[in-house]
Amino acid sequence: MTVIEGKEGISVIDPLTSAECAKAALDLYCKNRGSRPVLGMLYTHCHAGHFGGAGGILSRSEAARNE
């Protein structure tokens, strides 16, 4: 998982394999860099190792609000 910081929030690239791992990674990031809104996610290709953790970054309701 890669986190890119911007002026208004962060973007996450390839949010790992599972929601639990992705949430733990995001929590670690926030602990060290501060909490910031997630503005987007990018999947570099379509297998679960690159998108499986999306639910640990944004819930479906959060993702729907950001559309």
Side-chain angles (χ1 to χ4, degrees), residues 16-38:
L16 302 172
T17 303
S18 71
E20 296 81 11
C21 289
K23 181 175 180 342
L26 184 61
D27 289 347
L28 180 62
Y29 167 83
C30 291
K31 179 181 175 184
N32 289 282
R33 299 293 297 160
S35 184
R36 300 160 198 241
V38 177

Side-chain angles (χ1 to χ4, degrees), residues 38-54:
V38 177
L39 301 176
M41 281 192 279
L42 173 73
Y43 315 122
T44 59
H45 53 288
C46 61
H47 63 79
H50 292 262
F51 68 82

